[in-house]
Amino acid sequence: MRKQLTVHTQSHDYPIIITSKSQMAVEIAPYIKGKQVMVVTNITVEKLYLQDLLTGLSEQFEVHHVVLPDGEQYKTQQYIDRIYDALMDAHCGRDVTLVALGGGVVGDMTGFAAASFMRGVNFIQIPTTLLSQVDSSVGGKTGINHPKGKNMIGAFWQPQMVLADMHTLTTLPKRELSAGMAEVIKYALIMDVEFLTWLEDNMADLMGLDEIALAEAVARCCQYKADIVAQDEREAGKRALLNFGHTFGHVIETHEGYGQWLHGEAVAAGMVQAAKLSQQMQWISRDDVDRICEVLQAAQLPIVPPAIELTTALDLMQHDKKVKSGQVRLILLKSLGDAVVTADFDQTQLEAVLNEHV
Amino acid sequence: MRKQLTVHTQSHDYPIIITSKSQMAVEIAPYIKGKQVMVVTNITVEKLYLQDLLTGLSEQFEVHHVVLPDGEQYKTQQYIDRIYDALMDAHCGRDVTLVALGGGVVGDMTGFAAASFMRGVNFIQIPTTLLSQVDSSVGGKTGINHPKGKNMIGAFWQPQMVLADMHTLTTLPKRELSAGMAEVIKYALIMDVEFLTWLEDNMADLMGLDEIALAEAVARCCQYKADIVAQDEREAGKRALLNFGHTFGHVIETHEGYGQWLHGEAVAAGMVQAAKLSQQMQWISRDDVDRICEVLQAAQLPIVPPAIELTTALDLMQHDKKVKSGQVRLILLKSLGDAVVTADFDQTQLEAVLNEHV
């Protein structure tokens, strides 16, 4: 089983290879330009896949590695310094290739280290979580968190290739599989109601780790995102739709502390909030909202946010990146499969949705 | 007195406005897109120009500022965090414009903060030193130092405009004026022997802070650099010529400790060493070398390096960023106004030059 798609970006085109039980080193070697390789991973993924990758690469390359702790709370300046330090200690030069072996945190940090080491070096992504396979494979977003906000420091930087191996999902905790599925469902809600039907029909197979079904879902999501991003690399318009559920989700994540709610879980509950506000606007029906809740629940995702004081929630919302000159903008659903960015919502209705915790 | 030139880059074109006694706020306001402005400066420049700029901008914009300590030793992760913190505390969004008011350190840090805050926001440069006016106005290099190497973390990021006000040079310490003049002389040596003649004729006026002469020199240097960079935004070939004198200078700076010799002073002595090696190659004459020494001395710059053990100097040279696969590459003069990058020099002749300390 093997699928391949090409992502077009302003700087260059690159492939996403979707496969299973691959020899990772063999797959990525053709995309490494220089002699030096720095593999970045975390302590969890290290145990599963690092040694094989290093051994495979070391036949052709001078291979170094750095292992980070596992968790969103380490996606910080302090831990990206570990990557810089490893690069400096290994005397890496401008032709080094960084390889991100892990989930979204490893990918975002490795990507930003690649973007900023010597003002930019090559990198390759091997995403090992469903979330990172569908979300980080396309778009070139890299970065770290600031104590006062997620992903506040970063860069747009495109990989040389992405290797998504479905077999890595068999070692993923179920809760993280669900969290990744939230983003899969997001694509259906903002882009394609037909895909929503497909997901409803195939959710049992997906959650049962059927690799054919997973590959189909990952390929579809990457293609949706690639289509959006090709039009709009710097997030002027359409790309913002990818943040459906995220403004609400950021409030949850920030308030609860990173790591308590997984990103995908917060996005799931956030999508329900966005859907409810869309219903208040009379764009979608109560039945549509129920359908969203059901597919999320089939993926074992939460649909109710934690209790957060309204004033706190509104203040946290002000820190969202989509705020323009103090004006909060939200992504809402015109219908299932069709999202819009808007600042034109009723503040009272927003507050009613934020106040609903049951 | 007013000159303007346009710099073409891959991402966008921008103007460099060269003037004197300008109302800074009036000059930069047309290039600020959103409502929010964050001015970054240091404690030295703050006292001279900050209040006027803030007052002028505050009529039209929501203006914030952050003041950094003054010096290369603060060009670090720790101090760029102060800029991020100020941006977060002020609830700045994606349409914020950062304004760098100061010399090269402020410009490099502000530029990198702009490149990396929310994955890239606009910035404007108001360089207040001769060095930053001729060196940092063009090229898009931004960044900070790593404990193990200068400028190791950074990005290519282009400003929206550059305002170079010659009047700011009247408040610059004389030693820093000279250091900046080393880079001015560098452009003549690598690009244009006619400009060398012009500098010889006008050095007294330049050192006497004649604003017409300074504007002419700054405009010429920015144009030379713009011509080089437009061809070669990512430093593959021609851009390397801008490092004339810098490999030798790097040895001096590293050996003496940064801050003891100003960068421009080390480059001045380094350019004399590069010229002497070019003479050994029989590319330029003894008279040419004398002419270089004289114009540097007219700018009150050192032409003799400190005594450094040959083995130490050779070792420090190996750490230069232009080293490829262990092979030292130097920028040498084929003739006055014409430089080349070469690894094809006689090691004995290089050692003879390095051994000459009088």
Side-chain angles (χ1 to χ4, degrees), chain A residues 77 80-81 84-85 88-89 91 94 112 115-120 141-143 146 148-149 151-157 234-235 315 318-325, chain B residues 34-36 77 80-81 84-85 88-89 91 93-95 112 115-120 140-143 146-149 151-157 234-235 319 321:
Chain A
Q77 201 78 267
I80 206 162
D81 275 343
Y84 295 135
D85 291 346
M88 293 298 293
D89 290 345
H91 296 268
R94 284 199 179 119
F112 185 48
S116 55
F117 182 65
M118 291 189 170
R119 301 196 188 90
K141 284 191 176 182
T142 71
H146 183 274
K148 296 194 176 175
N151 295 318
M152 282 292 160
I153 300 161
F156 284 92
W157 198 248
R234 290 202 164 264
E235 190 156 1
D315 187 54
Q318 282 289 342
H319 278 94
D320 190 81
K321 276 180 290 180
K322 283 174 294 303
V323 171
K324 256 199 182 167
S325 308
Chain B
K35 274 287 161 211
Q36 294 177 309
Q77 200 80 269
I80 207 163
D81 275 344
Y84 296 136
D85 291 347
M88 293 301 293
D89 290 344
H91 294 223
R94 279 204 183 118
D95 57 354
F112 185 49
S116 56
F117 182 65
M118 293 188 172
R119 302 195 190 92
K141 285 190 176 181
T142 71
H146 183 275
K148 295 194 177 176
N151 295 317
M152 282 294 160
I153 301 160
F156 284 92
W157 198 248
R234 289 202 165 263
E235 188 159 2
H319 283 93
K321 272 183 292 187

Side-chain angles (χ1 to χ4, degrees), chain A residues 14-30:
Chain A
Y14 69 87
I16 300 177
I17 295 172
I18 299 164
T19 180
S20 187
K21 302 187 184 72
S22 65
Q23 285 189 276
M24 290 176 182
V26 173
E27 296 285 353
I28 71 170

Side-chain angles (χ1 to χ4, degrees), chain B residues 87-272:
Chain B
L87 287 162
M88 293 301 293
D89 290 344
H91 294 223
C92 290
R94 279 204 183 118
D95 57 354
V96 67
T97 295
L98 273 66
V99 177
L101 175 68
V105 171
V106 166
D108 285 1
M109 295 180 76
T110 307
F112 185 49
S116 56
F117 182 65
M118 293 188 172
R119 302 195 190 92
V121 299
N122 286 345
F123 87 114
I124 286 171
Q125 282 187 293
I126 307 180
T128 58
T129 66
L130 181 58
L131 176 59
S132 58
Q133 285 170 355
V134 299
D135 191 49
S136 314
S137 298
V138 182
K141 285 190 176 181
T142 71
I144 55 176
N145 299 327
H146 183 275
K148 295 194 177 176
K150 284 189 66 168
N151 295 317
M152 282 294 160
I153 301 160
F156 284 92
W157 198 248
Q158 304 291 348
Q160 297 302 302
M161 71 91 72
V162 176
L163 174 64
D165 187 320
M166 297 305 103
H167 194 66
T168 61
L169 302 182
T170 62
T171 52
L172 191 67
K174 264 284 172 333
R175 195 176 158 199
E176 286 197 41
L177 184 73
S178 293
M181 206 61 75
E183 299 282 344
V184 174
I185 293 166
K186 181 193 76 180
Y187 285 102
L189 297 179
I190 65 170
M191 293 287 283
D192 188 355
V193 69
E194 186 276 320
F195 183 42
L196 180 61
T197 304
W198 186 90
L199 286 174
E200 290 166 336
D201 294 344
N202 291 276
M203 191 53 75
D205 284 349
L206 291 165
M207 295 303 292
L209 294 174
D210 176 309
E211 291 174 3
I212 306 288
L214 286 168
E216 176 67 22
V218 170
R220 284 217 203 191
C221 292
C222 288
Q223 190 63 57
Y224 291 128
K225 188 163 181 184
D227 291 345
I228 290 175
V229 169
Q231 295 171 44
D232 185 15
E233 195 169 342
R234 289 202 165 263
E235 188 159 2
K238 211 175 171 191
R239 191 163 180 165
L241 302 184
L242 295 170
N243 288 315
F244 178 61
H246 284 59
T247 304
F248 291 99
H250 172 77
V251 171
I252 299 170
E253 278 184 285
T254 314
H255 185 265
E256 300 297 303
Y258 289 107
Q260 296 306 304
W261 279 59
L262 295 180
H263 177 69
E265 292 168 344
V267 167
M271 289 194 294
V272 173

Side-chain angles (χ1 to χ4, degrees), chain A residues 150-151 245-255 263 320-321:
Chain A
K150 281 192 65 169
N151 295 318
H246 283 58
T247 302
F248 291 99
H250 279 172
V251 171
I252 299 171
E253 281 185 287
T254 312
H255 185 264
H263 176 69
D320 190 81
K321 276 180 290 180

